[in-house]
C-alpha cells in the first residue's frame, strides 16, 4: 500500500520554503497531494487556479509523485476523501508552533486516524513567507 500525505496551504504564492518542505515530504511518502486551500475570508493575490498552476510548475520535476488539488472543504475531510493518512505542515520558527499545535489538536478531534507531521525547511528558507514575497513584489 502506498503512503500518501496531504500538504495544505494557501500557497499565495508558493515559495522556496514550500518547495523545500514538499521535497522533504517526498522522502517520507510515496505520493504527496498539495492542497490549495480556499478560504473565502482570506484575500489572496492569486486565484486558486493560478496558485494551482504555479505549484504544478514549481514542482514539475516531481509531477509523477505530486498531485495538486483545490480544496474548499475542511482539510481533514478532503484528506480522507483522497486516501491520505498524514498531513504535512511546515514550521519556519517557534512562532508558527502555537497555531499549528492548536490546528493539529482540532484535526485530531475531527479525524483521530489522520496524523500530522511537522517538517522544517532548510535554514536558507526559514524566514521566507508568502506574505513577505507578495509585499516585496507589490513594492517593486
Amino acid at each position: 500500500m502506498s503512503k500518501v500525505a496531504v500538504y495544505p496551504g494557501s500557497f499565495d504564492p508558493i515559495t522556496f520554503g514550500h518547495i523545500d518542505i514538499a521535497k522533504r515530504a517526498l522522502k517520507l511518502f510515496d505520493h504527496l497531494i498539495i492542497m490549495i486551500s480556499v478560504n473565502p475570508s482570506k484575500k489572496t493575490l492569486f486565484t486558486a487556479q493560478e496558485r494551482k498552476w504555479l505549484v504544478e510548475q514549481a514542482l514539475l520535476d516531481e509531477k509523477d509523485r505530486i498531485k495538486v488539488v483545490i480544496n474548499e472543504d475542511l482539510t481533514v475531510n478532503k484528506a480522507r476523501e483522497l486516501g491520505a493518512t498524514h498531513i504535512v505542515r511546515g514550521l519556519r520558527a517557534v512562532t508558527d508552533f502555537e497555531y499549528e499545535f492548536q490546528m493539529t489538536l482540532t484535526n485530531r478531534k475531527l479525524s483521530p486516524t489522520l496524523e500530522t507531521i511537522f517538517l522544517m525547511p532548510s535554514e536558507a528558507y526559514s524566514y521566507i513567507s508568502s506574505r513577505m514575497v507578495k509585499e516585496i513584489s507589490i513594492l517593486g
Side-chain angles (χ1 to χ4, degrees):
M1 185 164 111
S2 110
K3 294 188 293 183
V4 179
V6 295
Y7 179 20
S10 60
F11 303 100
D12 184 44
I14 189 168
T15 66
F16 289 124
H18 293 133
I19 294 166
D20 188 58
I21 294 292
K23 290 186 176 190
R24 288 173 185 281
L26 285 172
K27 293 177 184 177
L28 303 171
F29 298 96
D30 300 314
H31 296 281
L32 183 66
I33 301 165
I34 297 183
M35 197 181 290
I36 308 293
S37 301
V38 176
N39 181 345
S41 65
K42 189 173 184 181
K43 182 167 173 32
T44 59
L45 183 62
F46 296 99
T47 68
Q49 285 297 329
E50 289 170 328
R51 290 181 277 153
K52 181 179 188 283
W53 184 83
L54 288 168
V55 171
E56 289 169 340
Q57 295 308 301
L59 292 161
L60 205 52
D61 58 330
E62 300 291 350
K63 67 181 177 189
D64 295 336
R65 297 180 58 209
I66 288 181
K67 177 179 181 178
V68 183
V69 301
I70 295 171
N71 180 39
E72 297 184 32
D73 196 357
L74 289 173
T75 296
V76 294
N77 292 344
K78 189 70 168 179
R80 278 193 306 254
E81 176 189 319
L82 295 169
T85 56
H86 290 77
I87 297 173
V88 171
R89 298 295 296 170
L91 290 177
R92 290 181 308 248
V94 173
T95 53
D96 292 339
F97 183 76
E98 186 174 345
Y99 171 77
E100 294 294 343
F101 183 75
Q102 291 173 351
M103 186 184 308
T104 297
L105 291 178
T106 302
N107 287 343
R108 190 177 290 162
K109 279 280 191 207
L110 297 171
S111 184
T113 60
L114 195 59
E115 290 293 338
T116 300
I117 65 163
F118 299 100
L119 298 174
M120 293 176 57
S122 295
E123 186 178 318
Y125 308 127
S126 64
Y127 296 99
I128 298 173
S129 71
S130 293
R131 182 181 45 79
M132 282 206 269
V133 170
K134 283 188 283 196
E135 189 172 327
I136 291 167
S137 176
I138 289 168
L139 296 174

